[in-house]
Amino acid sequence: MKYAYYPGCSLESTAREFGESTTLVAEALGIELVEIPDWNCCGATSGHALDHKLSIALPARTLGIAESMGLDVVAPCAACYNRMKSAEVAMKSDEALRSEINASLAKPYEGKITVRSALEVFTAPEVLKSVAENVRYPLRGLRPACYYGCLLLRPPRVVGFDDPEAPQRLDEAMRVVGAEPVEWYFKNECCGASLGISKSSITVKLTGDIISNAKKHGANCIVTVCPLCMTNLEMRQAAAGKMRGEDLTIPVFYFTELLGLAMEVPGIRKLFASHLVDVNSALDAIDQYQSMPAGVNS
Amino acid sequence: MTSLISDNAQSCCVLSPVQGPAGSELKRRIQELCGENVLECYQCGECTAGCPVAYAMDIAPNQVLRLAQLGLEDEVLSSSAIWLCAGCETCYTRCPKGVALSRVMDACRQLALERGVKPKELSIAKFHDQFLTEVRRFGRVHELTLTALYKMRTRDFFSDVFTGIQMFLKGKLALIPSLVKGRDEIRKLFARPRRGSSEK
Amino acid sequence: MRIGVFVCWCGSNIAKTVDVEKVVEAAREMPGVVYATDYKYMCSEPGQNIIQDAIKEHKLDRIVVASCSPRLHEPTFQRCVEAAGLNPYMVEMANIREQCSWVHDRTPEATQHAIDLVRMAVAKVAKNEPLTRSRLGITRKALVIGGGVAGIQAALDIADAGYPVVLVERTPSIGGHMAQYDKTFPTLDCAACILTPKMVDCASHPLIEIWSYSEVEEVNGFVGNFEVKVRRRAKSVDESKCTGCGLCLEKCPVKDIPSEFDEGTGTRRAIYRPFPQSVPNKPVIDRDHCRYFQTGKCGVCQKICPVGAIDYEQQDQVVTEKFGAIVVATGFDVWRDERAMAQFGYGKYPDVISSLQFERLMNASGPTDGKIVRPSDGKTPRSIAFISCVGSRDEEHGYPYCSKVCCMYNAKQALLAKDKLHDVQTYVFYMDIRANGKGYEEFVRRTIEEYGANYIRGRVSRVYPDGDQLVVKGADTLLGRPLEVRVDLVVLATAMKPHDDAKELARKLGISTDQYDWFSEAHPKLRPVEVLTDGIYLAGACQYPKDIPDTVAQASGAASKVVGLFSKEAILSEAMTAYVNEDTCVGCGLCVEVCPFGAIELVEVVDREKSTRDNQVMKKVARVNEGVCKGCGTCAAACRSGSARLRGFDTKQILAEIDALADAALAGRQ
């Protein structure tokens, strides 16, 4: 299995853990990721917020390069994935737009390759099976609230590899590595996304609603698939807790970190140091179970 | 600019029908920019019901479409709602009529800039603009520069400073921007589709 | 040959665009025409008199009427000339209204166009031959498919008029959806009180046979002469012996099957009748769940039955019966797509139920004896949210149409909930209130004004649990704000949809369906009860969502159509039907495939006798069933050997029309 790898801007800086854990886990599973040479920013929310065509042209350039490699693209960041996929759909369905945009690209995108999210790739049945075979440190005791957010699921006409109202893929993956995902009700609610920087009061409210619901249903961590969600959930939990008068402290993980942790992929644990919220409470919960005899969990 | 006159949201909406294409200019431009026909909306309110940000908006999401249907352009383009939309696509996913309101919001922002309407949520507009400036300059977004320049533009130097330092110390904010070689090509992408800017 | 041409003004419809007098003048010069005139309204009585007088005076043998579409007035003029002694098929119409005056301005070209149309009609009528319609017999017995209130009403009306009826019902009992309801809007009559007497009337009517637990398998034939195969499924209970005592129902050990009749809110046994007032009131064994049929061990019902009515050996019977007319009254199904309703958690959260489930909870003979309780914990709800348009008016997740009755039953359920549980708060989330029936608007107002239902204008985005309550995340578009309310129970007004196998039944019947699979009527306004196949009629919600009054009215309408048909001495067949020249037919079967009415079949005929040996050479040829043929001409157009022909539209007639047009053009139109 071989993919063109699109890290996107965040995975090189604020979401380094996501980028590194993705490549480490992929390697451990024998999935080859070849970084797309000279990739550019997908435009993110700001691209489509201000300029519809630009929001397709920017990802189209990267897709064109990937097409010349003859590989499907994997984009771990939910926002990048959403923008790349939107561009893929638009370029495939609108011939006039395709030729207009391709005219200014060195490597045109003709729609021969497709974009997948890392969650989609890692939870494909055969990959998940190989994850299960490689679990060395089952995450028993971990009760994650699987948080899908918006952009991986919506709009279903564009993305839609999972059910937009009752998504399951992340929960399945967590069960495979021995965790017990909690039943909660904010898995596909919005965290405020890019408003996190420009209108943080909204993000504080929304992340507060999300974390509060997760904790109320017994979660001891949140697992996410999006750097923006991660940043908002980590950065705003203190303020949100203060606003609601609740203790909303909770570790947040990228799902790839937890896959890597369960598979004991070397180099995963050191990524936890760069989290803004201390993850030790979650790791302790797992360790407690490790010391118990097998079967106690069930 | 608009065929319909309304001073502010509280006053009576005065509709003055204009014959011909001018009367449906706003609808036509929205459709041109994002492909959505605002007349398909039957005002059920599903978008408002599911919108995570509706509570903070000056007008509800369904009212954005309603004003667009009536051609009350000034009110739509000067609303905070079009800037507060987070693009989460909940409205589009659940809309029984399949109207992509999120895309209509995008089109309205684009129109507001095109027509020189001052964004009601200036800080959000400035953020988006700064973001795209970065992309144009480097081909990628350098989060440290982005935040620093955005903070300078909004004269907001102190919020989140602690987190910023924390991120820097944890190696999450690189000092040197990573550059795309094909920057000229990327500038062409900006040049081709005409783009309004809040700063001219 | 003496042709008469009659040009109509149609008031100003034709005359304001076409120079009628010029058309008359030109017609006089056309070959074979001996008389031509015009009149303001040719279809009126004086107009028809002009035609009839001219036939006698000028000894006309062929007539062209230049007026409107033959779809509108061809039968009128056929009757007119027939009364004057001509064969009705010696009339041709030139449509100078829809195909000329309505689509042109007043110009010389418009008049020329009208002249050309008349010229073609004259050329065609010259080749017309007298046609006759044959008389076909009628089997005066009706088949009603579906035993809901529509089928019950139609069966009773037909039988009361003196004709025998077979009422076929798929489930073990007639009664349909109406039997599931508690009370009915807007009068709050108890559904059972008004329906069960009709069910009993059906059972006791000497002219009605109820075939329950049965399904139509195959339909052949045509109006007056249908031949229908019905599968009468094995009930495993000998109805001639069973007294309906119900002992078996109490002793059957398989107790936990979700009851279809209770919409899963209650359970039934493997031997069961859907509800206590079932008609027929004798149980059936559900073999898919019965322990005896599944494991071979049990036989409790057989042991307990005091009259030995249990018969495990019973087999399905396929019965073939002749009928003269068919009433289709198969009703609707309820939308149950849990995936599409995931935003409301239907199928996931036990206290999110459908309106039909709520009916069962309110119904005195339902699983809770009429007590409104939460399915999750049996507690009495203190607040209930009713959500309208779930799957209706929702082209993205369900159906774009309005299900028509939900606004009313929402109001009814909110009213009855308040009536039963005095301190309950009710919230009705609606988009529009559609209350356009007798007493309907007044009823909704009563629910709001006297029963305090909180009507909130806005669709709901999401329902999710919070503690043991449910959060309804909606909006009030009148306030322009999002809105949330915590309730104990959520009731979804799920859409009415066609049965999943509606299309399959339509195929068997040879009738058409619309884009959703509702059965299509012959004309949306003027023939709402008929379909395009003669002798088949529609009643109730199998055509489109309907409430009970509309359903009953249509059922009586369908019955009167059947009775009207049965009161005729005979049926006249179409005259303009297809026929096959068997000498030239090569039996390729293409016409059989393309015929939309299934009117053609391949038959084996003797090709030639062999002189040397005493056997025959056989061949296959196509043969048209004239009772079924509608004269559409598809076979004639498709036939490769020119063997399939259509009476009234023979090749020579059509070529004559084309030649007339070409000749006019060649004659040097300037």
Side-chain angles (χ1 to χ4, degrees), chain C residues 409-436:
Chain C
Y409 69 62
N410 270 336
K412 177 197 75 178
Q413 294 186 340
L415 184 150
L416 291 175
K418 190 75 182 173
D419 193 53
K420 290 195 178 212
L421 316 166
H422 293 290
D423 59 352
V424 76
Q425 281 291 327
T426 55
Y427 301 90
V428 180
F429 289 86
Y430 72 99
M431 285 206 275
D432 300 291
I433 301 174
R434 297 187 167 170
N436 47 2

Coordinates of all heavy atoms in Angstrom, one line a residue, chain C residues 409-436:
Chain C
Y409 N -52.8 15.1 12.5 CA -52.7 14.2 13.6 C -51.7 14.7 14.6 O -51.9 14.3 15.8 CB -52.4 12.7 13.1 CG -51.0 12.4 12.5 CD1 -49.8 12.6 13.2 CD2 -51.0 11.9 11.2 CE1 -48.6 12.2 12.6 CE2 -49.8 11.6 10.6 CZ -48.6 11.8 11.3 OH -47.4 11.4 10.7
N410 N -50.8 15.6 14.3 CA -50.0 16.2 15.3 C -50.9 17.0 16.3 O -50.7 16.9 17.5 CB -49.0 17.2 14.7 CG -47.7 16.6 14.3 OD1 -47.3 15.6 14.9 ND2 -47.0 17.2 13.4
A411 N -51.8 17.7 15.7 CA -52.7 18.5 16.5 C -53.5 17.6 17.4 O -53.7 17.8 18.6 CB -53.5 19.4 15.6
K412 N -54.0 16.5 16.7 CA -54.9 15.6 17.5 C -54.1 14.9 18.6 O -54.6 14.9 19.7 CB -55.4 14.5 16.5 CG -56.2 13.4 17.1 CD -56.3 12.2 16.3 CE -55.0 11.4 16.3 NZ -55.1 10.2 15.4
Q413 N -52.9 14.5 18.3 CA -52.1 13.8 19.4 C -51.7 14.8 20.5 O -51.8 14.4 21.7 CB -50.8 13.2 18.8 CG -51.2 12.1 17.8 CD -50.0 11.3 17.2 OE1 -48.9 11.8 17.3 NE2 -50.2 10.1 16.7
A414 N -51.4 16.0 20.1 CA -51.1 17.0 21.2 C -52.3 17.3 22.1 O -52.2 17.4 23.3 CB -50.6 18.3 20.6
L415 N -53.5 17.3 21.4 CA -54.7 17.6 22.1 C -55.1 16.4 23.0 O -55.3 16.5 24.2 CB -55.9 17.8 21.1 CG -57.2 18.2 21.7 CD1 -58.0 19.1 20.7 CD2 -58.1 17.0 22.0
L416 N -55.0 15.2 22.5 CA -55.3 14.0 23.3 C -54.3 13.8 24.4 O -54.7 13.3 25.5 CB -55.4 12.8 22.4 CG -56.5 12.7 21.4 CD1 -56.4 11.5 20.4 CD2 -57.9 12.7 22.1
A417 N -53.0 14.1 24.2 CA -52.0 13.9 25.2 C -52.4 14.8 26.4 O -52.4 14.4 27.6 CB -50.7 14.2 24.7
K418 N -52.8 16.0 26.1 CA -53.2 17.0 27.1 C -54.4 16.5 27.8 O -54.6 16.7 29.1 CB -53.4 18.4 26.5 CG -53.5 19.5 27.5 CD -52.2 19.9 28.1 CE -52.4 21.0 29.1 NZ -51.1 21.2 29.8
D419 N -55.3 15.9 27.0 CA -56.6 15.5 27.6 C -56.3 14.3 28.6 O -57.0 14.2 29.6 CB -57.4 15.0 26.4 CG -58.9 14.8 26.8 OD1 -59.4 15.7 27.4 OD2 -59.4 13.7 26.6
K420 N -55.4 13.4 28.2 CA -55.1 12.3 29.1 C -54.2 12.6 30.3 O -54.4 12.1 31.4 CB -54.5 11.1 28.3 CG -55.4 10.5 27.3 CD -54.9 9.2 26.8 CE -55.9 8.6 25.8 NZ -55.9 7.2 25.8
L421 N -53.2 13.4 30.0 CA -52.2 13.8 31.1 C -52.3 15.3 31.3 O -51.7 16.0 30.6 CB -50.8 13.4 30.6 CG -50.6 12.1 29.9 CD1 -49.2 12.1 29.2 CD2 -50.7 11.0 30.9
H422 N -53.0 15.6 32.3 CA -53.4 17.1 32.4 C -52.2 18.0 32.5 O -52.2 19.1 32.0 CB -54.3 17.3 33.6 CG -55.6 16.6 33.3 ND1 -56.5 17.1 32.4 CD2 -56.2 15.5 33.9 CE1 -57.6 16.3 32.3 NE2 -57.4 15.3 33.2
D423 N -51.1 17.6 33.3 CA -50.0 18.5 33.4 C -48.9 18.3 32.5 O -47.8 18.7 32.7 CB -49.5 18.5 34.9 CG -49.0 17.1 35.3 OD1 -49.2 16.2 34.4 OD2 -48.4 16.9 36.3
V424 N -49.2 17.7 31.3 CA -48.1 17.5 30.3 C -48.0 18.8 29.5 O -48.9 19.6 29.3 CB -48.5 16.3 29.4 CG1 -49.5 16.7 28.4 CG2 -47.2 15.9 28.6
Q425 N -46.7 19.1 29.2 CA -46.4 20.2 28.2 C -46.2 19.6 26.9 O -45.4 18.7 26.7 CB -45.2 21.0 28.7 CG -45.4 21.9 29.8 CD -46.2 23.1 29.4 OE1 -46.2 23.6 28.3 NE2 -47.0 23.6 30.4
T426 N -46.9 20.2 25.9 CA -46.7 19.7 24.5 C -46.0 20.8 23.6 O -46.4 22.0 23.7 CB -48.0 19.2 23.9 OG1 -48.9 20.3 23.9 CG2 -48.6 18.0 24.6
Y427 N -45.1 20.3 22.8 CA -44.4 21.2 21.9 C -44.6 20.7 20.5 O -44.2 19.5 20.2 CB -42.9 21.4 22.2 CG -42.7 21.9 23.6 CD1 -42.6 21.0 24.7 CD2 -42.7 23.3 23.9 CE1 -42.4 21.5 26.0 CE2 -42.5 23.7 25.1 CZ -42.4 22.8 26.2 OH -42.2 23.3 27.5
V428 N -45.1 21.4 19.6 CA -45.2 21.0 18.2 C -44.3 21.8 17.3 O -44.5 23.0 17.1 CB -46.7 21.1 17.7 CG1 -46.8 20.6 16.2 CG2 -47.6 20.3 18.6
F429 N -43.3 21.2 16.8 CA -42.4 21.9 15.8 C -42.9 21.7 14.4 O -43.1 20.6 13.9 CB -41.0 21.3 15.9 CG -40.3 21.6 17.2 CD1 -40.5 20.8 18.4 CD2 -39.5 22.7 17.3 CE1 -39.8 21.2 19.6 CE2 -38.8 23.1 18.5 CZ -39.0 22.3 19.6
Y430 N -43.2 22.8 13.8 CA -43.9 22.7 12.5 C -43.2 23.7 11.5 O -42.5 24.6 11.9 CB -45.4 23.1 12.6 CG -45.6 24.5 12.8 CD1 -46.0 25.4 11.8 CD2 -45.5 25.1 14.1 CE1 -46.2 26.7 12.0 CE2 -45.7 26.4 14.3 CZ -46.0 27.2 13.3 OH -46.2 28.6 13.5
M431 N -43.4 23.5 10.2 CA -43.0 24.4 9.2 C -44.1 25.3 8.7 O -44.0 26.5 8.6 CB -42.4 23.7 8.0 CG -41.1 23.1 8.2 SD -40.2 22.9 6.7 CE -40.8 21.4 6.1
D432 N -45.2 24.6 8.4 CA -46.5 25.3 8.0 C -47.6 24.5 8.6 O -47.4 23.3 8.7 CB -46.6 25.4 6.5 CG -45.5 26.1 5.8 OD1 -45.5 27.4 6.0 OD2 -44.7 25.5 5.1
I433 N -48.7 25.1 8.9 CA -49.8 24.2 9.4 C -50.8 24.1 8.2 O -51.3 25.1 7.7 CB -50.5 24.9 10.6 CG1 -49.5 25.1 11.7 CG2 -51.7 24.0 11.0 CD1 -50.1 25.8 12.9
R434 N -50.9 22.8 7.7 CA -51.8 22.6 6.6 C -53.0 22.0 7.0 O -53.1 20.8 7.3 CB -51.0 21.8 5.5 CG -49.8 22.6 5.1 CD -49.1 21.9 3.9 NE -48.2 22.9 3.4 CZ -47.2 22.7 2.5 NH1 -47.1 21.4 2.0 NH2 -46.4 23.6 2.0
A435 N -54.0 22.8 7.2 CA -55.3 22.3 7.8 C -56.4 22.6 6.9 O -57.4 23.4 7.3 CB -55.5 22.9 9.2
N436 N -56.4 22.1 5.7 CA -57.4 22.5 4.7 C -58.4 21.4 4.5 O -58.5 20.7 3.5 CB -56.8 22.9 3.4 CG -55.7 21.9 3.0 OD1 -55.5 20.9 3.6 ND2 -55.1 22.1 1.8

